[in-house]
Amino acid sequence: MLYNRRILTFLKSAECGSITKAAEQLHLSTNAAWKQISNLEEEIGVTLFRKTTHGVILTEEGEYLYQQGQKIITICDEVIRNLHNKKKIRIMSYYLDGSGRLIHLIDRYQKKHIDADIRLVPYYDPMVRVPDVDTIMQETDVLVSLELNDYDHGKYEFISLGSVGFQCVVPKDHTLSMKSVIRLNDLKNQTVRVIEEGICIGVDSLVQEIKDICKMVRVPRKITDYYEIQDCIHIIPQRNGAVSETNRYIPLDTNQYVEVGVFIRKNTDQMISECVEYLYNNLGGY
């Protein structure tokens, strides 16, 4: 309840013309109702009722509070209803530059659209496997992801936000750490960990190219492996603003790019469509 119950007791007493009758309807003892009215009068510093032989009548100040009090109750009840009726939109971020940008955008959107309740749904360890869009979309409304090789085009629509290249995560003491860009030939004779295959055509093409040019490529099973092996170069989708105390993030000079976008169910409702359009306008050209 967004308002003090003393206001409700006051309004009901005014309507009934009797604090005793109001107490009965509000399931209060008469003493409790009188105490609420007394505390309310003391708090605001005015007398609200005059006693009569038939009950109570409003004073001039009480009449004013009665008119305004009804508005307070109406507004508060409407706020509660709107909170319960808010359209919940669940967004899952997969393979997108740290959800920092997304969180910032969602916060801005939420302030402009108070009728929406936007939630970021965490996706644990996204590099372990190719996401099952159908399974994920049972838990969320919008999936921010790379364009995947296999998904049900009959159910879902993929809206591109732009393309993303790749970068190398190189330990600061590595021989290649001083380069401004790393070319595929630089990876010869290096130990390289690449992105798991099977995610999308762009990733698979890059993985194959690296395998062809390197003598040893280790495919990680867990994303945490990336930062546990210090003498290894890791190839990951380029993430703007990525920083680390122990590693350098260097662009990989390659023509391989993959599309980043959002998956939504076809024929989705208007609120989700508007949210996706907002993401498109603000994350477009990623």
Side-chain angles (χ1 to χ4, degrees), residues 133 137 140-143 151-152 155-159 261-269 272-273 275-277:
V133 176
M137 295 303 283
T140 189
D141 302 301
V142 180
L143 169 63
Y151 69 94
D152 190 340
K155 288 184 182 178
Y156 310 109
E157 181 179 1
F158 179 83
I159 301 172
V262 293
F263 287 90
I264 59 172
R265 290 186 179 278
K266 290 186 177 178
N267 302 318
T268 189
D269 66 53
I272 294 176
S273 296
C275 184
V276 168
E277 182 179 359

mmCIF file with all atom_site columns, all heavy atoms in Angstrom, residues 133 137 140-143 151-152 155-159 261-269 272-273 275-277:
data_model
loop_
_atom_site.group_PDB
_atom_site.id
_atom_site.type_symbol
_atom_site.label_atom_id
_atom_site.label_alt_id
_atom_site.label_comp_id
_atom_site.label_asym_id
_atom_site.label_entity_id
_atom_site.label_seq_id
_atom_site.pdbx_PDB_ins_code
_atom_site.Cartn_x
_atom_site.Cartn_y
_atom_site.Cartn_z
_atom_site.occupancy
_atom_site.B_iso_or_equiv
_atom_site.pdbx_formal_charge
_atom_site.auth_seq_id
_atom_site.auth_comp_id
_atom_site.auth_asym_id
_atom_site.auth_atom_id
_atom_site.pdbx_PDB_model_num
ATOM 1   N N   . VAL A 1 133 ? 18.274 -21.899 -29.739 1.00 0.00 ? 133 VAL A N   1
ATOM 2   C CA  . VAL A 1 133 ? 17.389 -20.736 -29.755 1.00 0.00 ? 133 VAL A CA  1
ATOM 3   C C   . VAL A 1 133 ? 16.010 -21.085 -29.207 1.00 0.00 ? 133 VAL A C   1
ATOM 4   O O   . VAL A 1 133 ? 15.422 -20.339 -28.430 1.00 0.00 ? 133 VAL A O   1
ATOM 5   C CB  . VAL A 1 133 ? 17.263 -20.161 -31.181 1.00 0.00 ? 133 VAL A CB  1
ATOM 6   C CG1 . VAL A 1 133 ? 16.256 -19.010 -31.207 1.00 0.00 ? 133 VAL A CG1 1
ATOM 7   C CG2 . VAL A 1 133 ? 18.607 -19.675 -31.675 1.00 0.00 ? 133 VAL A CG2 1
ATOM 8   N N   . MET A 1 137 ? 14.436 -19.193 -26.068 1.00 0.00 ? 137 MET A N   1
ATOM 9   C CA  . MET A 1 137 ? 13.280 -18.326 -26.265 1.00 0.00 ? 137 MET A CA  1
ATOM 10  C C   . MET A 1 137 ? 12.081 -18.740 -25.416 1.00 0.00 ? 137 MET A C   1
ATOM 11  O O   . MET A 1 137 ? 11.077 -18.037 -25.380 1.00 0.00 ? 137 MET A O   1
ATOM 12  C CB  . MET A 1 137 ? 12.901 -18.268 -27.738 1.00 0.00 ? 137 MET A CB  1
ATOM 13  C CG  . MET A 1 137 ? 13.967 -17.612 -28.613 1.00 0.00 ? 137 MET A CG  1
ATOM 14  S SD  . MET A 1 137 ? 14.400 -15.926 -28.106 1.00 0.00 ? 137 MET A SD  1
ATOM 15  C CE  . MET A 1 137 ? 12.987 -15.021 -28.729 1.00 0.00 ? 137 MET A CE  1
ATOM 16  N N   . THR A 1 140 ? 13.079 -16.298 -22.498 1.00 0.00 ? 140 THR A N   1
ATOM 17  C CA  . THR A 1 140 ? 13.309 -14.886 -22.751 1.00 0.00 ? 140 THR A CA  1
ATOM 18  C C   . THR A 1 140 ? 12.495 -14.422 -23.942 1.00 0.00 ? 140 THR A C   1
ATOM 19  O O   . THR A 1 140 ? 11.921 -15.232 -24.667 1.00 0.00 ? 140 THR A O   1
ATOM 20  C CB  . THR A 1 140 ? 14.820 -14.633 -22.997 1.00 0.00 ? 140 THR A CB  1
ATOM 21  O OG1 . THR A 1 140 ? 15.052 -13.240 -23.038 1.00 0.00 ? 140 THR A OG1 1
ATOM 22  C CG2 . THR A 1 140 ? 15.268 -15.257 -24.297 1.00 0.00 ? 140 THR A CG2 1
ATOM 23  N N   . ASP A 1 141 ? 12.411 -13.112 -24.141 1.00 0.00 ? 141 ASP A N   1
ATOM 24  C CA  . ASP A 1 141 ? 11.641 -12.544 -25.248 1.00 0.00 ? 141 ASP A CA  1
ATOM 25  C C   . ASP A 1 141 ? 12.545 -12.075 -26.375 1.00 0.00 ? 141 ASP A C   1
ATOM 26  O O   . ASP A 1 141 ? 12.152 -12.075 -27.533 1.00 0.00 ? 141 ASP A O   1
ATOM 27  C CB  . ASP A 1 141 ? 10.795 -11.362 -24.749 1.00 0.00 ? 141 ASP A CB  1
ATOM 28  C CG  . ASP A 1 141 ? 9.843  -11.767 -23.642 1.00 0.00 ? 141 ASP A CG  1
ATOM 29  O OD1 . ASP A 1 141 ? 9.015  -12.654 -23.893 1.00 0.00 ? 141 ASP A OD1 1
ATOM 30  O OD2 . ASP A 1 141 ? 9.945  -11.210 -22.534 1.00 0.00 ? 141 ASP A OD2 1
ATOM 31  N N   . VAL A 1 142 ? 13.754 -11.644 -26.015 1.00 0.00 ? 142 VAL A N   1
ATOM 32  C CA  . VAL A 1 142 ? 14.697 -11.113 -26.998 1.00 0.00 ? 142 VAL A CA  1
ATOM 33  C C   . VAL A 1 142 ? 16.063 -11.726 -26.724 1.00 0.00 ? 142 VAL A C   1
ATOM 34  O O   . VAL A 1 142 ? 16.554 -11.683 -25.592 1.00 0.00 ? 142 VAL A O   1
ATOM 35  C CB  . VAL A 1 142 ? 14.806 -9.572  -26.906 1.00 0.00 ? 142 VAL A CB  1
ATOM 36  C CG1 . VAL A 1 142 ? 15.786 -9.045  -27.937 1.00 0.00 ? 142 VAL A CG1 1
ATOM 37  C CG2 . VAL A 1 142 ? 13.441 -8.924  -27.078 1.00 0.00 ? 142 VAL A CG2 1
ATOM 38  N N   . LEU A 1 143 ? 16.676 -12.309 -27.753 1.00 0.00 ? 143 LEU A N   1
ATOM 39  C CA  . LEU A 1 143 ? 18.012 -12.882 -27.620 1.00 0.00 ? 143 LEU A CA  1
ATOM 40  C C   . LEU A 1 143 ? 18.980 -12.058 -28.456 1.00 0.00 ? 143 LEU A C   1
ATOM 41  O O   . LEU A 1 143 ? 18.823 -11.948 -29.671 1.00 0.00 ? 143 LEU A O   1
ATOM 42  C CB  . LEU A 1 143 ? 18.019 -14.341 -28.096 1.00 0.00 ? 143 LEU A CB  1
ATOM 43  C CG  . LEU A 1 143 ? 19.398 -15.004 -28.262 1.00 0.00 ? 143 LEU A CG  1
ATOM 44  C CD1 . LEU A 1 143 ? 20.120 -15.070 -26.919 1.00 0.00 ? 143 LEU A CD1 1
ATOM 45  C CD2 . LEU A 1 143 ? 19.264 -16.400 -28.864 1.00 0.00 ? 143 LEU A CD2 1
ATOM 46  N N   . TYR A 1 151 ? 18.639 -22.337 -36.784 1.00 0.00 ? 151 TYR A N   1
ATOM 47  C CA  . TYR A 1 151 ? 17.527 -21.947 -35.923 1.00 0.00 ? 151 TYR A CA  1
ATOM 48  C C   . TYR A 1 151 ? 16.263 -22.009 -36.766 1.00 0.00 ? 151 TYR A C   1
ATOM 49  O O   . TYR A 1 151 ? 16.323 -22.041 -38.004 1.00 0.00 ? 151 TYR A O   1
ATOM 50  C CB  . TYR A 1 151 ? 17.729 -20.561 -35.299 1.00 0.00 ? 151 TYR A CB  1
ATOM 51  C CG  . TYR A 1 151 ? 17.669 -19.407 -36.262 1.00 0.00 ? 151 TYR A CG  1
ATOM 52  C CD1 . TYR A 1 151 ? 16.481 -18.720 -36.466 1.00 0.00 ? 151 TYR A CD1 1
ATOM 53  C CD2 . TYR A 1 151 ? 18.796 -18.987 -36.950 1.00 0.00 ? 151 TYR A CD2 1
ATOM 54  C CE1 . TYR A 1 151 ? 16.408 -17.656 -37.344 1.00 0.00 ? 151 TYR A CE1 1
ATOM 55  C CE2 . TYR A 1 151 ? 18.733 -17.922 -37.835 1.00 0.00 ? 151 TYR A CE2 1
ATOM 56  C CZ  . TYR A 1 151 ? 17.544 -17.268 -38.019 1.00 0.00 ? 151 TYR A CZ  1
ATOM 57  O OH  . TYR A 1 151 ? 17.480 -16.218 -38.885 1.00 0.00 ? 151 TYR A OH  1
ATOM 58  N N   . ASP A 1 152 ? 15.141 -22.043 -36.105 1.00 0.00 ? 152 ASP A N   1
ATOM 59  C CA  . ASP A 1 152 ? 13.864 -22.228 -36.791 1.00 0.00 ? 152 ASP A CA  1
ATOM 60  C C   . ASP A 1 152 ? 13.423 -20.903 -37.420 1.00 0.00 ? 152 ASP A C   1
ATOM 61  O O   . ASP A 1 152 ? 12.897 -20.028 -36.751 1.00 0.00 ? 152 ASP A O   1
ATOM 62  C CB  . ASP A 1 152 ? 12.809 -22.731 -35.794 1.00 0.00 ? 152 ASP A CB  1
ATOM 63  C CG  . ASP A 1 152 ? 11.533 -23.172 -36.489 1.00 0.00 ? 152 ASP A CG  1
ATOM 64  O OD1 . ASP A 1 152 ? 11.313 -22.759 -37.646 1.00 0.00 ? 152 ASP A OD1 1
ATOM 65  O OD2 . ASP A 1 152 ? 10.781 -23.928 -35.879 1.00 0.00 ? 152 ASP A OD2 1
ATOM 66  N N   . LYS A 1 155 ? 9.791  -19.746 -36.880 1.00 0.00 ? 155 LYS A N   1
ATOM 67  C CA  . LYS A 1 155 ? 9.336  -19.206 -35.606 1.00 0.00 ? 155 LYS A CA  1
ATOM 68  C C   . LYS A 1 155 ? 9.936  -17.854 -35.282 1.00 0.00 ? 155 LYS A C   1
ATOM 69  O O   . LYS A 1 155 ? 9.290  -17.008 -34.668 1.00 0.00 ? 155 LYS A O   1
ATOM 70  C CB  . LYS A 1 155 ? 9.700  -20.170 -34.462 1.00 0.00 ? 155 LYS A CB  1
ATOM 71  C CG  . LYS A 1 155 ? 8.898  -21.441 -34.389 1.00 0.00 ? 155 LYS A CG  1
ATOM 72  C CD  . LYS A 1 155 ? 9.325  -22.210 -33.152 1.00 0.00 ? 155 LYS A CD  1
ATOM 73  C CE  . LYS A 1 155 ? 8.594  -23.543 -33.036 1.00 0.00 ? 155 LYS A CE  1
ATOM 74  N NZ  . LYS A 1 155 ? 9.055  -24.295 -31.854 1.00 0.00 ? 155 LYS A NZ  1
ATOM 75  N N   . TYR A 1 156 ? 11.214 -17.670 -35.651 1.00 0.00 ? 156 TYR A N   1
ATOM 76  C CA  . TYR A 1 156 ? 11.939 -16.514 -35.161 1.00 0.00 ? 156 TYR A CA  1
ATOM 77  C C   . TYR A 1 156 ? 12.422 -15.606 -36.296 1.00 0.00 ? 156 TYR A C   1
ATOM 78  O O   . TYR A 1 156 ? 12.706 -16.052 -37.394 1.00 0.00 ? 156 TYR A O   1
ATOM 79  C CB  . TYR A 1 156 ? 13.151 -16.955 -34.327 1.00 0.00 ? 156 TYR A CB  1
ATOM 80  C CG  . TYR A 1 156 ? 12.795 -17.972 -33.287 1.00 0.00 ? 156 TYR A CG  1
ATOM 81  C CD1 . TYR A 1 156 ? 13.200 -19.302 -33.422 1.00 0.00 ? 156 TYR A CD1 1
ATOM 82  C CD2 . TYR A 1 156 ? 12.030 -17.632 -32.189 1.00 0.00 ? 156 TYR A CD2 1
ATOM 83  C CE1 . TYR A 1 156 ? 12.857 -20.252 -32.481 1.00 0.00 ? 156 TYR A CE1 1
ATOM 84  C CE2 . TYR A 1 156 ? 11.674 -18.566 -31.239 1.00 0.00 ? 156 TYR A CE2 1
ATOM 85  C CZ  . TYR A 1 156 ? 12.090 -19.886 -31.394 1.00 0.00 ? 156 TYR A CZ  1
ATOM 86  O OH  . TYR A 1 156 ? 11.737 -20.811 -30.466 1.00 0.00 ? 156 TYR A OH  1
ATOM 87  N N   . GLU A 1 157 ? 12.520 -14.350 -35.953 1.00 0.00 ? 157 GLU A N   1
ATOM 88  C CA  . GLU A 1 157 ? 13.056 -13.362 -36.879 1.00 0.00 ? 157 GLU A CA  1
ATOM 89  C C   . GLU A 1 157 ? 14.390 -12.873 -36.328 1.00 0.00 ? 157 GLU A C   1
ATOM 90  O O   . GLU A 1 157 ? 14.523 -12.617 -35.130 1.00 0.00 ? 157 GLU A O   1
ATOM 91  C CB  . GLU A 1 157 ? 12.072 -12.192 -36.999 1.00 0.00 ? 157 GLU A CB  1
ATOM 92  C CG  . GLU A 1 157 ? 12.519 -11.112 -37.962 1.00 0.00 ? 157 GLU A CG  1
ATOM 93  C CD  . GLU A 1 157 ? 11.495 -9.993  -38.063 1.00 0.00 ? 157 GLU A CD  1
ATOM 94  O OE1 . GLU A 1 157 ? 10.466 -10.060 -37.373 1.00 0.00 ? 157 GLU A OE1 1
ATOM 95  O OE2 . GLU A 1 157 ? 11.754 -9.049  -38.823 1.00 0.00 ? 157 GLU A OE2 1
ATOM 96  N N   . PHE A 1 158 ? 15.391 -12.766 -37.197 1.00 0.00 ? 158 PHE A N   1
ATOM 97  C CA  . PHE A 1 158 ? 16.698 -12.256 -36.790 1.00 0.00 ? 158 PHE A CA  1
ATOM 98  C C   . PHE A 1 158 ? 16.869 -10.870 -37.385 1.00 0.00 ? 158 PHE A C   1
ATOM 99  O O   . PHE A 1 158 ? 16.797 -10.694 -38.598 1.00 0.00 ? 158 PHE A O   1
ATOM 100 C CB  . PHE A 1 158 ? 17.817 -13.181 -37.275 1.00 0.00 ? 158 PHE A CB  1
ATOM 101 C CG  . PHE A 1 158 ? 19.193 -12.692 -36.893 1.00 0.00 ? 158 PHE A CG  1
ATOM 102 C CD1 . PHE A 1 158 ? 19.717 -12.946 -35.637 1.00 0.00 ? 158 PHE A CD1 1
ATOM 103 C CD2 . PHE A 1 158 ? 19.964 -11.969 -37.791 1.00 0.00 ? 158 PHE A CD2 1
ATOM 104 C CE1 . PHE A 1 158 ? 20.982 -12.495 -35.276 1.00 0.00 ? 158 PHE A CE1 1
ATOM 105 C CE2 . PHE A 1 158 ? 21.227 -11.507 -37.452 1.00 0.00 ? 158 PHE A CE2 1
ATOM 106 C CZ  . PHE A 1 158 ? 21.737 -11.772 -36.193 1.00 0.00 ? 158 PHE A CZ  1
ATOM 107 N N   . ILE A 1 159 ? 17.074 -9.878  -36.529 1.00 0.00 ? 159 ILE A N   1
ATOM 108 C CA  . ILE A 1 159 ? 17.245 -8.504  -36.974 1.00 0.00 ? 159 ILE A CA  1
ATOM 109 C C   . ILE A 1 159 ? 18.683 -8.097  -36.706 1.00 0.00 ? 159 ILE A C   1
ATOM 110 O O   . ILE A 1 159 ? 19.131 -8.058  -35.554 1.00 0.00 ? 159 ILE A O   1
ATOM 111 C CB  . ILE A 1 159 ? 16.281 -7.562  -36.232 1.00 0.00 ? 159 ILE A CB  1
ATOM 112 C CG1 . ILE A 1 159 ? 14.835 -8.006  -36.480 1.00 0.00 ? 159 ILE A CG1 1
ATOM 113 C CG2 . ILE A 1 159 ? 16.483 -6.123  -36.668 1.00 0.00 ? 159 ILE A CG2 1
ATOM 114 C CD1 . ILE A 1 159 ? 13.818 -7.264  -35.644 1.00 0.00 ? 159 ILE A CD1 1
ATOM 115 N N   . GLY A 1 261 ? 22.952 -9.558  -33.859 1.00 0.00 ? 261 GLY A N   1
ATOM 116 C CA  . GLY A 1 261 ? 21.585 -9.048  -33.944 1.00 0.00 ? 261 GLY A CA  1
ATOM 117 C C   . GLY A 1 261 ? 20.714 -9.599  -32.848 1.00 0.00 ? 261 GLY A C   1
ATOM 118 O O   . GLY A 1 261 ? 21.209 -10.108 -31.831 1.00 0.00 ? 261 GLY A O   1
ATOM 119 N N   . VAL A 1 262 ? 19.422 -9.489  -33.038 1.00 0.00 ? 262 VAL A N   1
ATOM 120 C CA  . VAL A 1 262 ? 18.471 -9.963  -32.029 1.00 0.00 ? 262 VAL A CA  1
ATOM 121 C C   . VAL A 1 262 ? 17.516 -10.971 -32.651 1.00 0.00 ? 262 VAL A C   1
ATOM 122 O O   . VAL A 1 262 ? 17.103 -10.838 -33.803 1.00 0.00 ? 262 VAL A O   1
ATOM 123 C CB  . VAL A 1 262 ? 17.663 -8.795  -31.412 1.00 0.00 ? 262 VAL A CB  1
ATOM 124 C CG1 . VAL A 1 262 ? 18.573 -7.892  -30.609 1.00 0.00 ? 262 VAL A CG1 1
ATOM 125 C CG2 . VAL A 1 262 ? 16.926 -8.008  -32.468 1.00 0.00 ? 262 VAL A CG2 1
ATOM 126 N N   . PHE A 1 263 ? 17.204 -11.989 -31.873 1.00 0.00 ? 263 PHE A N   1
ATOM 127 C CA  . PHE A 1 263 ? 16.173 -12.958 -32.238 1.00 0.00 ? 263 PHE A CA  1
ATOM 128 C C   . PHE A 1 263 ? 14.899 -12.599 -31.486 1.00 0.00 ? 263 PHE A C   1
ATOM 129 O O   . PHE A 1 263 ? 14.931 -12.365 -30.270 1.00 0.00 ? 263 PHE A O   1
ATOM 130 C CB  . PHE A 1 263 ? 16.592 -14.375 -31.826 1.00 0.00 ? 263 PHE A CB  1
ATOM 131 C CG  . PHE A 1 263 ? 17.675 -14.974 -32.679 1.00 0.00 ? 263 PHE A CG  1
ATOM 132 C CD1 . PHE A 1 263 ? 19.007 -14.803 -32.356 1.00 0.00 ? 263 PHE A CD1 1
ATOM 133 C CD2 . PHE A 1 263 ? 17.353 -15.720 -33.807 1.00 0.00 ? 263 PHE A CD2 1
ATOM 134 C CE1 . PHE A 1 263 ? 20.009 -15.358 -33.130 1.00 0.00 ? 263 PHE A CE1 1
ATOM 135 C CE2 . PHE A 1 263 ? 18.352 -16.274 -34.587 1.00 0.00 ? 263 PHE A CE2 1
ATOM 136 C CZ  . PHE A 1 263 ? 19.683 -16.095 -34.252 1.00 0.00 ? 263 PHE A CZ  1
ATOM 137 N N   . ILE A 1 264 ? 13.784 -12.550 -32.191 1.00 0.00 ? 264 ILE A N   1
ATOM 138 C CA  . ILE A 1 264 ? 12.486 -12.384 -31.542 1.00 0.00 ? 264 ILE A CA  1
ATOM 139 C C   . ILE A 1 264 ? 11.501 -13.325 -32.221 1.00 0.00 ? 264 ILE A C   1
ATOM 140 O O   . ILE A 1 264 ? 11.703 -13.737 -33.372 1.00 0.00 ? 264 ILE A O   1
ATOM 141 C CB  . ILE A 1 264 ? 11.941 -10.939 -31.614 1.00 0.00 ? 264 ILE A CB  1
ATOM 142 C CG1 . ILE A 1 264 ? 11.781 -10.490 -33.073 1.00 0.00 ? 264 ILE A CG1 1
ATOM 143 C CG2 . ILE A 1 264 ? 12.825 -9.989  -30.852 1.00 0.00 ? 264 ILE A CG2 1
ATOM 144 C CD1 . ILE A 1 264 ? 11.075 -9.159  -33.222 1.00 0.00 ? 264 ILE A CD1 1
ATOM 145 N N   . ARG A 1 265 ? 10.456 -13.687 -31.512 1.00 0.00 ? 265 ARG A N   1
ATOM 146 C CA  . ARG A 1 265 ? 9.410  -14.516 -32.113 1.00 0.00 ? 265 ARG A CA  1
ATOM 147 C C   . ARG A 1 265 ? 8.666  -13.706 -33.162 1.00 0.00 ? 265 ARG A C   1
ATOM 148 O O   . ARG A 1 265 ? 8.428  -12.517 -32.978 1.00 0.00 ? 265 ARG A O   1
ATOM 149 C CB  . ARG A 1 265 ? 8.428  -15.005 -31.055 1.00 0.00 ? 265 ARG A CB  1
ATOM 150 C CG  . ARG A 1 265 ? 9.007  -16.032 -30.111 1.00 0.00 ? 265 ARG A CG  1
ATOM 151 C CD  . ARG A 1 265 ? 7.936  -16.580 -29.187 1.00 0.00 ? 265 ARG A CD  1
ATOM 152 N NE  . ARG A 1 265 ? 8.501  -17.583 -28.307 1.00 0.00 ? 265 ARG A NE  1
ATOM 153 C CZ  . ARG A 1 265 ? 8.690  -18.846 -28.642 1.00 0.00 ? 265 ARG A CZ  1
ATOM 154 N NH1 . ARG A 1 265 ? 8.338  -19.258 -29.861 1.00 0.00 ? 265 ARG A NH1 1
ATOM 155 N NH2 . ARG A 1 265 ? 9.222  -19.703 -27.803 1.00 0.00 ? 265 ARG A NH2 1
ATOM 156 N N   . LYS A 1 266 ? 8.306  -14.356 -34.246 1.00 0.00 ? 266 LYS A N   1
ATOM 157 C CA  . LYS A 1 266 ? 7.512  -13.667 -35.258 1.00 0.00 ? 266 LYS A CA  1
ATOM 158 C C   . LYS A 1 266 ? 6.136  -13.351 -34.680 1.00 0.00 ? 266 LYS A C   1
ATOM 159 O O   . LYS A 1 266 ? 5.624  -14.070 -33.829 1.00 0.00 ? 266 LYS A O   1
ATOM 160 C CB  . LYS A 1 266 ? 7.392  -14.544 -36.509 1.00 0.00 ? 266 LYS A CB  1
ATOM 161 C CG  . LYS A 1 266 ? 8.713  -14.677 -37.255 1.00 0.00 ? 266 LYS A CG  1
ATOM 162 C CD  . LYS A 1 266 ? 8.562  -15.419 -38.559 1.00 0.00 ? 266 LYS A CD  1
ATOM 163 C CE  . LYS A 1 266 ? 9.897  -15.455 -39.306 1.00 0.00 ? 266 LYS A CE  1
ATOM 164 N NZ  . LYS A 1 266 ? 9.799  -16.213 -40.573 1.00 0.00 ? 266 LYS A NZ  1
ATOM 165 N N   . ASN A 1 267 ? 5.563  -12.254 -35.158 1.00 0.00 ? 267 ASN A N   1
ATOM 166 C CA  . ASN A 1 267 ? 4.247  -11.806 -34.680 1.00 0.00 ? 267 ASN A CA  1
ATOM 167 C C   . ASN A 1 267 ? 4.268  -11.511 -33.178 1.00 0.00 ? 267 ASN A C   1
ATOM 168 O O   . ASN A 1 267 ? 3.307  -11.776 -32.477 1.00 0.00 ? 267 ASN A O   1
ATOM 169 C CB  . ASN A 1 267 ? 3.167  -12.862 -34.976 1.00 0.00 ? 267 ASN A CB  1
ATOM 170 C CG  . ASN A 1 267 ? 3.083  -13.185 -36.454 1.00 0.00 ? 267 ASN A CG  1
ATOM 171 O OD1 . ASN A 1 267 ? 3.139  -12.300 -37.293 1.00 0.00 ? 267 ASN A OD1 1
ATOM 172 N ND2 . ASN A 1 267 ? 2.976  -14.468 -36.767 1.00 0.00 ? 267 ASN A ND2 1
ATOM 173 N N   . THR A 1 268 ? 5.408  -10.984 -32.711 1.00 0.00 ? 268 THR A N   1
ATOM 174 C CA  . THR A 1 268 ? 5.497  -10.649 -31.296 1.00 0.00 ? 268 THR A CA  1
ATOM 175 C C   . THR A 1 268 ? 4.664  -9.400  -31.006 1.00 0.00 ? 268 THR A C   1
ATOM 176 O O   . THR A 1 268 ? 4.257  -8.685  -31.921 1.00 0.00 ? 268 THR A O   1
ATOM 177 C CB  . THR A 1 268 ? 6.967  -10.422 -30.898 1.00 0.00 ? 268 THR A CB  1
ATOM 178 O OG1 . THR A 1 268 ? 7.054  -10.305 -29.473 1.00 0.00 ? 268 THR A OG1 1
ATOM 179 C CG2 . THR A 1 268 ? 7.517  -9.154  -31.534 1.00 0.00 ? 268 THR A CG2 1
ATOM 180 N N   . ASP A 1 269 ? 4.422  -9.126  -29.726 1.00 0.00 ? 269 ASP A N   1
ATOM 181 C CA  . ASP A 1 269 ? 3.545  -7.997  -29.408 1.00 0.00 ? 269 ASP A CA  1
ATOM 182 C C   . ASP A 1 269 ? 4.257  -6.662  -29.593 1.00 0.00 ? 269 ASP A C   1
ATOM 183 O O   . ASP A 1 269 ? 5.470  -6.579  -29.748 1.00 0.00 ? 269 ASP A O   1
ATOM 184 C CB  . ASP A 1 269 ? 2.975  -8.131  -27.986 1.00 0.00 ? 269 ASP A CB  1
ATOM 185 C CG  . ASP A 1 269 ? 4.040  -8.029  -26.916 1.00 0.00 ? 269 ASP A CG  1
ATOM 186 O OD1 . ASP A 1 269 ? 4.801  -7.061  -26.923 1.00 0.00 ? 269 ASP A OD1 1
ATOM 187 O OD2 . ASP A 1 269 ? 4.104  -8.939  -26.074 1.00 0.00 ? 269 ASP A OD2 1
ATOM 188 N N   . ILE A 1 272 ? 7.362  -5.426  -27.321 1.00 0.00 ? 272 ILE A N   1
ATOM 189 C CA  . ILE A 1 272 ? 8.657  -6.041  -27.618 1.00 0.00 ? 272 ILE A CA  1
ATOM 190 C C   . ILE A 1 272 ? 9.205  -5.492  -28.920 1.00 0.00 ? 272 ILE A C   1
ATOM 191 O O   . ILE A 1 272 ? 10.406 -5.218  -29.047 1.00 0.00 ? 272 ILE A O   1
ATOM 192 C CB  . ILE A 1 272 ? 8.530  -7.580  -27.667 1.00 0.00 ? 272 ILE A CB  1
ATOM 193 C CG1 . ILE A 1 272 ? 8.187  -8.112  -26.278 1.00 0.00 ? 272 ILE A CG1 1
ATOM 194 C CG2 . ILE A 1 272 ? 9.811  -8.219  -28.173 1.00 0.00 ? 272 ILE A CG2 1
ATOM 195 C CD1 . ILE A 1 272 ? 7.945  -9.602  -26.221 1.00 0.00 ? 272 ILE A CD1 1
ATOM 196 N N   . SER A 1 273 ? 8.343  -5.309  -29.905 1.00 0.00 ? 273 SER A N   1
ATOM 197 C CA  . SER A 1 273 ? 8.779  -4.754  -31.192 1.00 0.00 ? 273 SER A CA  1
ATOM 198 C C   . SER A 1 273 ? 9.379  -3.365  -31.008 1.00 0.00 ? 273 SER A C   1
ATOM 199 O O   . SER A 1 273 ? 10.399 -3.020  -31.616 1.00 0.00 ? 273 SER A O   1
ATOM 200 C CB  . SER A 1 273 ? 7.599  -4.689  -32.163 1.00 0.00 ? 273 SER A CB  1
ATOM 201 O OG  . SER A 1 273 ? 7.111  -5.977  -32.459 1.00 0.00 ? 273 SER A OG  1
ATOM 202 N N   . CYS A 1 275 ? 10.764 -2.196  -28.290 1.00 0.00 ? 275 CYS A N   1
ATOM 203 C CA  . CYS A 1 275 ? 12.033 -2.344  -27.568 1.00 0.00 ? 275 CYS A CA  1
ATOM 204 C C   . CYS A 1 275 ? 13.140 -2.771  -28.525 1.00 0.00 ? 275 CYS A C   1
ATOM 205 O O   . CYS A 1 275 ? 14.261 -2.253  -28.468 1.00 0.00 ? 275 CYS A O   1
ATOM 206 C CB  . CYS A 1 275 ? 11.870 -3.369  -26.443 1.00 0.00 ? 275 CYS A CB  1
ATOM 207 S SG  . CYS A 1 275 ? 13.337 -3.551  -25.405 1.00 0.00 ? 275 CYS A SG  1
ATOM 208 N N   . VAL A 1 276 ? 12.834 -3.715  -29.423 1.00 0.00 ? 276 VAL A N   1
ATOM 209 C CA  . VAL A 1 276 ? 13.822 -4.180  -30.402 1.00 0.00 ? 276 VAL A CA  1
ATOM 210 C C   . VAL A 1 276 ? 14.204 -3.040  -31.345 1.00 0.00 ? 276 VAL A C   1
ATOM 211 O O   . VAL A 1 276 ? 15.375 -2.876  -31.699 1.00 0.00 ? 276 VAL A O   1
ATOM 212 C CB  . VAL A 1 276 ? 13.279 -5.392  -31.188 1.00 0.00 ? 276 VAL A CB  1
ATOM 213 C CG1 . VAL A 1 276 ? 14.159 -5.696  -32.394 1.00 0.00 ? 276 VAL A CG1 1
ATOM 214 C CG2 . VAL A 1 276 ? 13.188 -6.600  -30.276 1.00 0.00 ? 276 VAL A CG2 1
ATOM 215 N N   . GLU A 1 277 ? 13.222 -2.254  -31.749 1.00 0.00 ? 277 GLU A N   1
ATOM 216 C CA  . GLU A 1 277 ? 13.501 -1.112  -32.625 1.00 0.00 ? 277 GLU A CA  1
ATOM 217 C C   . GLU A 1 277 ? 14.441 -0.130  -31.920 1.00 0.00 ? 277 GLU A C   1
ATOM 218 O O   . GLU A 1 277 ? 15.349 0.435   -32.530 1.00 0.00 ? 277 GLU A O   1
ATOM 219 C CB  . GLU A 1 277 ? 12.199 -0.407  -33.003 1.00 0.00 ? 277 GLU A CB  1
ATOM 220 C CG  . GLU A 1 277 ? 12.407 0.763   -33.956 1.00 0.00 ? 277 GLU A CG  1
ATOM 221 C CD  . GLU A 1 277 ? 11.108 1.444   -34.339 1.00 0.00 ? 277 GLU A CD  1
ATOM 222 O OE1 . GLU A 1 277 ? 10.036 0.994   -33.870 1.00 0.00 ? 277 GLU A OE1 1
ATOM 223 O OE2 . GLU A 1 277 ? 11.158 2.425   -35.095 1.00 0.00 ? 277 GLU A OE2 1
#
